[in-house]
Amino acid sequence: MKIVRKIKNDLYYIGASDMRLHLFENLFPINEGVSYNSYCIIDSKTCVLDTVDHAVEESFFSNLNCALNGRKLDYLIVNHLEPDHSSCIQEVILRYPDVTVVFNEKSYAMFQKFIDQPITFATHIVKENDILDLGHHKLTFLMAPMVHWPEVMVTYDMTDKILFSADAFGTFGALQGNIFADEVNLNDTFYAEARRYYTNIVGKFGPAVQAILKKAQAVEVEMICPLHGPIWRKNLKDFIHRYDLWSRYEAEDQDIIIIYGSMYNNTYHVCEDLALLLADRGVKNIKLYDVSKVDISYLIAEIFRVKNIVLAFPNYNGGIYPKMHDLLNDMQALNVSNKNVAIIENGTWALIAGKKVRELLLSMKNIEIIFEPVRIETTEKKANLEQLIGLADLLAHL
Ligand code: FEO
């Protein structure tokens, strides 16, 4: 026996969560799991919006069977082809041979890369603003290229004013019975994970997210059904506002974070002193992160959140400390922009890393290197402390 949760009227949640996966995309730690959302509309015609990852395939088909309650499946809409949402398409076609799969031109072409045979099942190709009539529900389609992949589209239910938003508005974290955002504690931890999902998965594609936000503004949206994380039916404005900031690469607050690499604690002690000096000047919520210990995905999320960043690192083999180098490469790849950055470098010989870090930072958009780089030669000296005081004075007044 299986039960599914009704979202509204004749719309059902048929996705499932994976609590066992350690790394999303085999890259990002997900200690709280992840959900793969799928939705089913029961109307004159029945319709599924996206499938799920293979890992939760069994639950998906049980849920679908329950939602259909003996009806046949008429449509499967493919909003996004990444395998965490498309893994079950072929199995859906096998189990429901009367189904028509709804693609757009790009996803139709791309799907052929997933299979080793010609497409023989029924398909329906849609373009921007086409309407699919399910009976009571009229669905329309908005193309959202690069809201993660080039073929992405979102589906808008004109009848119930629901946006099926693909990866947009997704978050990490399993759904545990509570499928609505207003049923869970939307605390800092929740938003930290939402931010970590956005910045690492979609962060590179800010302009594409801005484009779909503008399209969504043109229609009335009462509910957002993303492909990961909870469904939003209350206070949509707050979450949309965060998405707007993230996709414009604007900081959410003026907090200061210090990200350091330290082999023998000397660089760490410098950062500790800087934090004390900042606290003395009334700065709150200072965070120190060890680049060697904290997964890059968390650091990227924090970098997106704040305006002011201190990077402190030792020289290493005549270059940048490897973990800091990895972080800088990821910042560059994800188009991190609009930050104030201060540099602290440390080395016993051949101090060159500060110059290289500066070059990397200046290759990013609108990064301001504030204050002269603080150069430590092995351990903090009196002259360094004076520099730190100057840096703290400056940071405290930004
Ligand atoms: Fe959740 Fe881009 O796939």
Side-chain angles (χ1 to χ4, degrees), residues 129-145:
N129 296 326
D130 277 1
I131 291 174
L132 182 68
D133 191 344
L134 301 181
H136 178 59
H137 292 267
K138 319 285 183 219
L139 306 182
T140 190
F141 306 94
L142 305 171
M143 300 304 128

Side-chain angles (χ1 to χ4, degrees), residues 24-25 34-36 80-85 147-149 151-152 166-167 197 201-202 227-228:
F24 185 74
E25 293 186 356
V34 67
S35 74
Y36 303 106
H80 185 16
L81 260 184
E82 194 167 5
D84 53 336
H85 310 294
V147 180
H148 201 203
W149 277 22
E151 88 301 350
V152 172
D167 275 343
Y197 170 85
I201 307 297
V202 197
L227 287 176
H228 301 285

